[in-house]
Amino acid sequence: MVRREFLGPLFISPWLLGFLLLVVYPFAASLYWSFCQYDLFSPPRPVGLANYQRLAHEVATGGRFGQALWNTGYYALLSVPLSIAVGVTLAVMLSWKVRGQSFYRTLFFLPSVVPVVAASVLWLWLLDPRDGMVASCLAALGATNSLWFKGATEAVVPPGWFDFGSKDALILMAVWAAGNMMVIYLAAIGDIPTQLYEAAELDGAGPGRRLLHVTLPMLSPVIFFNLVMGLIQSVQAFTQVYLVSEGTGEPAGWSLMLSLHLFLAAFQDLDMGYASAMAWLLFVVLLAATIVLFRTARHWVHYQGVMR
Amino acid sequence: MSRPNAHPLAHPVLLAATALFAFPLVWMVLSSLKPASQLTENPYAFWPHRWEWANYPQALSAMPYARYLRNSLVLCIGSVAGSLFSCSVAAYGFSRLRWRGRDVVFGMVIATMLLPWHVTMIPRFLLLREVGLYNSLAALIVPTFLGDAFFIFLLRQFFLTIPDDISEAARLDGLGEWGIFTRIILPLSKPALATVALFQFIASWNDFNGPLLYLSDPQKFPLAYGLEQFVSSYSDQTHLLLAAAVLFTLPMVVLFLLAQRTFLKGIATTGIKG
């Protein structure tokens, strides 16, 4: 019989083992390696700040890392707010008394069930500049031929409104799968106390004002949660990035995201020190962004509702 | 609940939005049934000129489908078993037992959710390679036996809703903690366990990074990774690519339609409890 106070730790021991081996140790090791030259064949050799200096240099001169940083920022800062906007809009529309609500919900959700590998095949084909469906629709609207995944339209600065490039295509894929978030918003709207709407109605608020002054404030904690998680996840986006560029970040490095650049640095160039430094820099930037988001939260997130 | 009445424009707007969301999928399925010649000569015709069901057997025979499928199922079932075990025991320890430092440690569980995988990827890879798991599906299954922060969180929230009196009564009856866990708490938690099983199954089915990192022998590839190999070698045979993509997606769609409640509930909890 185990003594009572050891029972809890005993129950969590599988997690604890995983935490120590797969989180704490790797965390510490990659921090140490970020200050080393390490190619797997010889032991890590400390080189001080050299890896970080190289990263800083690449940012300053627009090298691969600078490019990856810009691409990742562009992707995250557009895809997350757009997905939230689409998710909230769909959820609000579905929360109206419409017939066939569950039918619509199922259909909006369906794209997020499609595995990323299959979705990449699908969008590569839809966005093919030669005979893709989307390209031909845009051409019918009078747009010049966007090259999407296949070309470097983004080399033209500033691009025209209809000149979409690889990153925009990745954003489109993310927004298409926003049904995932919609489900969360829909559940949250269902939890808003009816009295709030009734009170607003008594005060003479029309549908628009009820949306603006009841629904959105009551949704703000959930929106905030999705903003933070979405940001963290979109910065880590890898599978779709790898697949649409066949693991290269091409054309012209325009879809080279941080996660792919890091992967290639580690497993193609065997430059573990440089890759670890990149990972740590990314971690610190994400942490800072999260802290800043939490700081701004008190100005727009309403926690006095039923939800914590 | 009295929801606001629908705007007269609600239906047209919703229908248009549905069409936009569903179109790529419908188009994919229809095109996967078109003859190869139609896709090159007349790519925008909506309906297939001829329903080319042969695309499917052809796509299947162009890759070792049975082997990929078998690997995928081994991976999915092994991972589901791993997650169900490790996450439910941990969740029990974090919710139904009192011990010093519990809430601090649980804080660490939550913190790992915010950790980007880049930071741990390289040492984790080298460690698993060191213990001989490289090029084995075990490299992807073993970590699921060591817990997952999100699933632990999800199960803990559920366990917390079970009244403590039930455990107390069982303790008075002389049942030990393991007995309470397996004979009382687990049977009461079937919905939450189903959510974990479902999410883990999908995660393993879709996992691409794992096989890319850890597997080198095509004999061991699961479908997600095998499909990518197929895509790169048949990139000009659109009809086969689409058929393969449909085949890969179909189980997920069926699973979703069958388990829609579990799905939607699980996803809704992820957001709201934050």
Side-chain angles (χ1 to χ4, degrees), chain B residues 160-171:
Chain B
L160 283 174
T161 62
I162 301 172
D164 234 3
D165 311 354
I166 297 183
S167 297
E168 282 309 321
R171 270 179 210 123

Side-chain angles (χ1 to χ4, degrees), chain A residues 125-286:
Chain A
W125 168 66
L126 283 173
L127 297 177
D128 193 307
R130 287 161 302 165
D131 55 2
M133 194 63 193
V134 174
S136 75
C137 287
L138 284 178
L141 288 172
T144 50
N145 197 359
S146 290
L147 293 171
W148 297 103
F149 292 125
K150 302 282 180 179
T153 37
E154 285 154 282
V156 187
V157 179
W161 269 107
F162 279 114
D163 289 341
F164 296 108
S166 328
K167 291 192 290 286
D168 305 299
L170 287 166
I171 292 167
L172 181 65
M173 282 173 71
V175 172
W176 184 57
N180 217 334
M181 286 190 181
M182 174 204 73
V183 174
I184 301 176
Y185 300 126
L186 196 56
I189 292 177
D191 283 349
I192 299 176
T194 327
Q195 302 96 288
L196 288 181
Y197 286 107
E198 288 163 1
E201 223 169 335
L202 282 179
D203 290 345
R209 306 200 64 147
R210 285 200 298 262
L211 176 68
L212 215 60
H213 295 296
V214 180
T215 313
L216 288 183
M218 291 301 287
L219 274 186
S220 59
V222 184
I223 294 178
F224 177 68
F225 174 79
N226 276 330
L227 185 66
V228 173
M229 292 314 277
L231 199 66
I232 293 173
Q233 277 160 13
S234 68
V235 165
Q236 299 180 58
F238 177 78
T239 306
Q240 60 274 51
V241 177
Y242 183 94
L243 288 168
V244 298
S245 66
E246 284 163 4
T248 59
E250 296 306 314
W254 284 111
S255 55
L256 182 78
M257 302 275 178
L258 280 176
S259 54
L260 181 60
H261 183 43
L262 196 152
F263 173 83
L264 294 175
F267 294 102
Q268 204 173 57
D269 307 341
L270 297 183
D271 204 342
M272 300 298 173
Y274 172 70
S276 298
M278 207 184 324
W280 266 87
L281 202 63
L282 180 68
F283 172 61
V284 171
V285 169
L286 261 183

